[in-house]
Amino acid sequence: QVHLEESGGGSVQPGESLRLFCKYTTRVNCMAWFRQAPGKEREAVATVYHHAGTKQYSSTHADSVKGRFNAYDTTLAVLLQMNSVQVEDAGMYFCAARTAETSALCEVANSRPSEFSFWGQGTQVIVSS
């Protein structure tokens, strides 16, 4: 069983940075950050794929967070570094995990919520000026 626990959410102003943490009990080779704004579907914003236990491959949402968000695994937790936060980035952020056969299958473009077996409870991000 994989247990995921998010933390680090809070209130920030546009342009500021925020770092979210996802602590896990067991590493699964495809870890992802999803976000869900009120009234919207849950969408993947960043993923980290582990190959052979050593290499990391990360991907981010091409349109909404490219160049601003980055995800990486520190062995103890999967971090989501959010820079230049925008009002549109507000929402509940969830950490999720699944087994993916290839790095391509773990990319954001191929990550749908229904494919992930393990989820955390989420952490809230509020963006207001």
Side-chain angles (χ1 to χ4, degrees), residues 32 46 64 73 94 112 121:
S64 63
D73 193 334
F94 298 91
R112 288 172 286 275
Q121 294 300 309

Side-chain angles (χ1 to χ4, degrees), residues 10-18 82 84-91 124-129:
S11 181
V12 294
Q13 295 184 345
E16 293 184 339
S17 296
L18 194 64
M82 306 167 59
S84 301
V85 174
Q86 302 173 359
V87 173
E88 296 74 24
D89 296 324
Q124 185 78 43
V125 174
I126 300 170
V127 184
S128 61
S129 56

